[in-house]
Amino acid sequence: FNQGITTAEVSRITTDNLDLRNGKIDITGGRTGKDRTLELKSSQIMDLMEYQYKTRNELLKYQEQPTKQLFLSTPPSGQTTVKEAGIL
């Protein structure tokens, strides 16, 4: 079967929606207004694990406030330090 997810659904995913141990991700507020759970493939689990524990932790340094949003945007172009983000 195919797995599909919209950009709006991706923006609503929080760390609480991700269950890597059981290989599942909860998608809330879909196009039809229904929540659903997607089963993740092993390669997706590995990619999400690396993102969550490595990349996301780096991106969190640029956030002004703590967030549970899973996918974070990159810092503004040219910004190379947390201090430039006005956090320090």
Side-chain angles (χ1 to χ4, degrees), residues 5-53:
I5 184 168
T6 66
T7 304
E9 290 170 331
V10 169
S11 69
R12 287 191 295 269
I13 297 173
T14 67
T15 54
D16 294 335
N17 298 129
L18 188 61
D19 182 357
L20 293 173
R21 182 173 302 280
N22 292 306
K24 297 181 180 192
I25 188 166
D26 294 324
I27 307 300
T28 58
R31 285 176 276 175
T32 61
K34 293 185 179 180
D35 297 345
R36 64 189 192 282
T37 300
L38 297 179
E39 291 191 29
L40 300 169
K41 297 177 183 177
S42 58
S43 61
Q44 292 170 317
I45 294 169
M46 296 301 293
D47 289 342
L48 284 167
M49 185 180 297
E50 181 179 351
Y51 170 78
Q52 185 174 14
Y53 296 111

